Amino acid sequence: MTTPADVRNVRDPELPGRLLAVERDALIPLLRGRDDADFALPVAACPGWTVRDVLAHCSAAFTRVLERRFEDGVFSPGSNERDIAERAGWTNTRVVDELERGMTGAGPVIAEAGGALDGLALGEWVHAGDVRVALGEPGAYAGAGLPYALALLGQVTGRKGHLPLHADLDDADEPLRLGDATGERPPARYIGDGPTLVRLYAGRPVDGAAYELAGAEAAELNIFGD
């Protein structure tokens, strides 16, 4: 796997769309091959939500992007719950159809947003990992999309002014520099694999993972909890 060494300050507007296209090609066939009962499985990373709920949240978010509906409160917990409730009468196939359309078409709109929606693309890719965990499928927070996700993580953390971190990845040719290195805080140091780094930044469990983190607490890396 090859990952750009420093992507914090040079935004690639096409990157979110590429990540979503790669994930679409892997995730949608997986979902279409599952029984309806699998859509009712709980998702540990999203307490109270099932696989179907997570997919409905993601598909609704992409539809909002495609329709450019960014009213006040959009993507808030209340808005997310309303989106899921609005799809309660849909078949699982219809939810997956909406998700596929969104993952196909959202890239250009995200590119036009100047970075404001990059975190949405990354977050929905993380949710795909959450779904894989719930379904007992391999490749959660990994797979063909991982290099794109790590590069996008660099863009998102740089834009957010997140703490600087230097990552020596077991599965990448070059080190990855994340966050904002322009402040006084020295960069934290991570040694480990890419999927574990994604889990840390997404606030997902890393039980049993072999990694080293110095200069920061794991909770400080979470970009979705602040």
Side-chain angles (χ1 to χ4, degrees):
M1 180 181 72
T2 301
T3 304
D6 194 342
V7 293
R8 297 164 301 175
N9 298 317
V10 180
R11 178 177 181 258
D12 177 357
E14 307 301 325
L15 181 56
R18 289 198 295 272
L19 172 62
L20 294 177
V22 168
E23 184 57 37
R24 175 202 61 204
D25 292 346
L27 180 65
I28 299 301
L30 184 157
L31 296 174
R32 296 202 187 281
R34 306 296 299 212
D35 294 332
D36 281 345
D38 293 335
F39 287 78
L41 292 171
V43 176
C46 305
W49 282 9
T50 64
V51 167
R52 176 194 166 88
D53 292 337
V54 172
L55 298 175
H57 158 60
C58 293
S59 68
F62 287 133
T63 294
R64 287 182 179 277
V65 169
L66 291 175
E67 296 176 353
R68 292 170 171 80
R69 292 191 288 117
F70 305 122
E71 61 269 20
D72 289 345
V74 70
F75 307 132
S76 67
S79 173
N80 295 338
E81 293 292 349
R82 286 192 297 274
D83 286 339
I84 292 170
E86 287 174 2
R87 288 156 177 76
W90 292 18
T91 64
N92 293 325
T93 297
R94 185 178 175 187
V95 171
V96 174
D97 286 346
E98 183 185 42
L99 179 63
E100 182 175 16
R101 285 194 299 272
M103 297 180 83
T104 300
V109 184
I110 295 173
E112 293 169 5
L117 295 176
D118 287 1
L120 175 67
L122 181 62
E124 304 312 337
W125 183 82
V126 169
H127 276 321
D130 299 337
V131 166
R132 282 186 173 81
V133 171
L135 296 176
E137 291 283 344
Y141 320 109
L146 181 61
Y148 303 103
L150 290 171
L152 188 55
L153 181 62
Q155 290 186 179
V156 170
T157 56
R159 187 175 189 275
K160 288 170 67 76
H162 208 61
L163 66 88
L165 181 138
H166 179 105
D168 289 311
L169 299 173
D170 300 337
D171 41 7
D173 299 329
E174 299 289 339
L176 183 66
R177 295 177 177 86
L178 304 169
D180 181 6
T182 62
E184 296 181 357
R185 181 168 180 168
R189 184 70 177 264
Y190 170 87
I191 302 175
D193 62 34
T196 299
L197 183 64
V198 170
R199 286 175 181 265
L200 288 168
Y201 273 95
R204 271 45 178 180
V206 292
D207 301 340
Y211 72 94
E212 297 179 25
L213 178 63
E217 298 294 328
E220 292 183 89
L221 301 187
N222 186 355
I223 58 173
F224 297 123
D226 53 28

